[in-house]
Amino acid sequence: MLISAQALGQTEEKKFLYYGNRAYENENYADAIDYYQQAVSIAPLSFKSNYNLGNAYFRNQEFEKASDVYGTILDMAPTAYDRSLVYHNLGNAYFMNQKLDDAIDAYKSCLKLNPKDEDARYNLAYALELKKQQQQQQNQNQNQNQDQNQDQNQNQNQNQNQNQNQDQNQNQNQNQDENQNNQNDQQNGNNNGNEQQDKNMQNGQPQRISKEQARRILDSALKKEKEVQKKLDEKKKVGEGSPRKKDW
């Protein structure tokens, strides 16, 4: 009875796997996902059904789910070559989800197992180049922020120096006025004290970035972000490259 139950389960798994493959080949990925899920529910440790489920998720542009499936079946792979295929597709899923560091690690793991995988080698090179560009952009943004801070500090120091000069000039004028008043009082015999005039002092505040400057900086950052996204969109074929689908 146990053997009969196992045989029946294998038959059911193969049936759903077959239907899933047919739907996948017809690019009906949503149906393929349903069939593969049923196959997996019957045989949770089946490498074939899980692997094809991950591929169907990928083709349906559900990259997060695809990467989750690929990540769970690495230890199920029956051969080193099958494991390299999983790493390849895992790298593709991470790449399409813009997780470049994870994609780079996955492609490297793939190439360790299968150095002849030229698609993985190309994808790795592209991911590394894109990572380099992002790092350069981050460094450029940091340098821009440092330059802006230096400009603000310079402006603040200039304002403080101007205020100090104004204070000195005002004190000198005030002393001259007091001396003149004292001389007038003495000359006119006026013993009344002189009145001091209150003056508004300018505070040395650092200059703020104007709205126009902020808009230009934001536009520049968005432009760079769009350029990176455009490159990702143009290279989708690289990432999809076929998720490596094995004929079972």
Side-chain angles (χ1 to χ4, degrees):
M1 292 178 61
L2 180 60
I3 294 175
S4 297
Q6 290 177 343
L8 179 61
Q10 290 175 353
T11 300
E12 287 294 300
E13 180 202 357
K14 288 181 179 179
K15 179 183 71 173
F16 289 121
L17 189 60
Y18 170 79
Y19 289 143
N21 290 345
R22 290 286 299 273
Y24 187 99
E25 290 168 359
N26 292 326
E27 300 183 0
N28 192 345
Y29 302 120
D31 286 349
I33 289 170
D34 289 338
Y35 287 126
Y36 291 143
Q37 285 177 333
Q38 292 182 69
V40 169
S41 68
I42 295 170
L45 298 181
S46 169
F47 176 77
K48 302 176 190 178
S49 298
N50 280 284
Y51 180 78
N52 287 1
L53 175 61
N55 291 347
Y57 275 132
F58 184 94
R59 288 295 190 179
N60 209 40
Q61 299 187 16
E62 298 180 66
F63 304 120
E64 192 71 34
K65 291 182 179 180
S67 61
D68 289 341
V69 173
Y70 293 138
T72 60
I73 64 173
L74 284 167
D75 293 333
M76 296 183 191
T79 67
Y81 176 74
D82 291 323
R83 190 179 177 90
S84 75
L85 293 180
V86 177
Y87 271 122
H88 182 117
N89 290 358
L90 180 61
N92 289 350
Y94 282 140
F95 184 95
M96 297 304 293
N97 218 21
Q98 300 185 36
K99 296 181 178 180
L100 291 182
D101 290 333
D102 292 332
I104 290 168
D105 290 340
Y107 290 139
K108 287 181 178 179
S109 297
C110 171
L111 289 169
K112 286 179 181 178
L113 294 168
N114 182 18
K116 295 181 180 180
D117 190 339
E118 293 302 321
D119 288 339
R121 193 179 306 280
Y122 178 85
N123 289 4
L124 172 60
Y126 183 77
L128 288 170
E129 178 61 25
L130 195 59
K131 179 69 178 178
K132 178 181 176 181
Q133 292 177 7
Q134 289 185 350
Q135 187 63 49
Q136 289 174 344
Q137 180 61 37
Q138 290 176 358
N139 293 337
Q140 183 178 351
N141 291 338
Q142 290 176 354
N143 292 334
Q144 288 178 348
N145 291 335
Q146 290 176 354
D147 290 341
Q148 290 174 358
N149 291 333
Q150 289 176 355
D151 290 341
Q152 289 178 347
N153 291 333
Q154 289 176 354
N155 291 332
Q156 184 178 9
N157 292 333
Q158 289 176 354
N159 289 337
Q160 289 176 347
N161 292 333
Q162 290 176 354
N163 291 333
Q164 289 175 355
N165 291 334
Q166 289 176 351
D167 290 342
Q168 292 175 354
N169 292 333
Q170 289 174 349
N171 289 333
Q172 290 175 355
N173 293 334
Q174 185 176 355
N175 291 333
Q176 290 176 354
D177 291 341
E178 289 177 353
N179 292 334
Q180 184 65 40
N181 289 333
N182 289 333
Q183 291 175 358
N184 292 336
D185 289 342
Q186 291 174 358
Q187 291 174 357
N188 297 327
N190 185 3
N191 293 327
N192 293 329
N194 296 322
E195 297 179 355
Q196 282 189 327
Q197 296 179 352
D198 294 330
K199 296 187 178 181
N200 294 326
M201 307 297 291
Q202 295 180 354
N203 294 323
Q205 297 294 332
Q207 290 186 355
R208 296 178 180 272
I209 298 175
S210 69
K211 290 183 179 180
E212 181 63 23
Q213 289 174 319
R215 185 187 64 79
R216 286 199 299 267
I217 293 171
L218 180 60
D219 287 346
S220 177
L222 290 175
K223 182 180 178 182
K224 290 294 183 182
E225 183 178 347
K226 288 180 180 179
E227 289 175 355
V228 172
Q229 185 60 48
K230 182 179 179 181
K231 289 180 181 179
L232 284 175
D233 292 340
E234 289 175 350
K235 291 297 181 179
K236 277 187 177 180
K237 291 183 179 180
V238 174
E240 292 175 359
S242 75
R244 294 300 182 80
K245 185 174 184 299
K246 188 174 181 180
D247 294 331
W248 301 105

